[in-house]
């Protein structure tokens, strides 16, 4: 594929919109996970007493559900990404691929 066709693809509004939405989604989910994880690490480093304290006077401390919560959050964020990618980004991707195929077929007819 020559440079003019590549530039047509890169300038395609549907392609640009797909890249923009995917970037926003990826960065948003990344920031959420980083804030939660770094917050937990700061809690471990600066307020260990809280994590060692019992939830209700038993043997379970606050660190256990918070640590498990981070693991569950990672699965939830994966699910959110998959849901949005399948329902919002895939249609944009299909439209962009359709237009790219039309551009590449133009080259064959010239």
């Amino acid at each position: 594929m020559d440079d003019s066709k590549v530039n047509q693809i890169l300038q395609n509004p549907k392609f640009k919109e797909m890249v923009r939405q995917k970037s926003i989604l990826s960065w948003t989910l990344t920031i959420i996970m980083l804030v939660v994880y770094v917050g937990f690490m700061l809690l471990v480093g600066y307020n260990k007493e809280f994590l060692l304290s019992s939830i209700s006077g038993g043997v379970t401390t606050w660190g256990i559900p918070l640590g498990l919560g981070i693991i569950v959050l990672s699965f939830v964020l994966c699910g959110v990404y998959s849901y949005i990618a399948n329902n919002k980004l895939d249609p944009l991707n299909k439209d962009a691929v359709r237009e790219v195929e039309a551009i590449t077929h133009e080259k064959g007819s010239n």
Side-chain angles (χ1 to χ4, degrees):
M1 190 176 320
D2 61 356
D3 288 340
S4 66
K5 301 296 180 185
V6 171
N7 285 333
Q8 285 179 334
I9 294 167
L10 294 175
Q11 299 305 317
N12 183 303
K14 289 181 182 173
F15 179 78
K16 284 183 172 183
E17 179 65 16
M18 180 193 63
V19 170
R20 186 185 73 78
Q21 286 187 9
K22 195 174 208 178
S23 178
I24 289 170
L25 176 63
S26 297
W27 280 111
T28 301
L29 297 178
T30 299
I31 289 169
I32 290 170
M33 195 66 220
L34 280 174
V35 166
V36 170
Y37 186 76
V38 169
F40 183 73
M41 290 296 106
L42 290 173
L43 195 59
V44 168
Y46 292 106
N47 198 357
K48 195 179 292 185
E49 297 77 27
F50 170 73
L51 293 174
L52 292 173
S53 64
S54 176
I55 291 176
S56 62
V59 294
T60 304
T61 63
W62 281 104
I64 293 170
L66 289 175
L68 288 174
I70 290 173
I71 294 168
V72 169
L73 177 66
S74 67
F75 283 103
V76 168
L77 292 178
C78 286
V80 167
Y81 180 84
S82 296
Y83 178 80
I84 293 173
N86 289 337
N87 294 314
K88 193 172 185 181
L89 298 178
D90 278 355
L92 283 173
N93 187 37
K94 287 178 185 175
D95 290 343
V97 166
R98 212 173 298 124
E99 291 186 16
V100 166
E101 287 173 348
I103 290 169
T104 56
H105 287 112
E106 284 176 15
K107 180 185 177 195
S109 64
N110 290 338

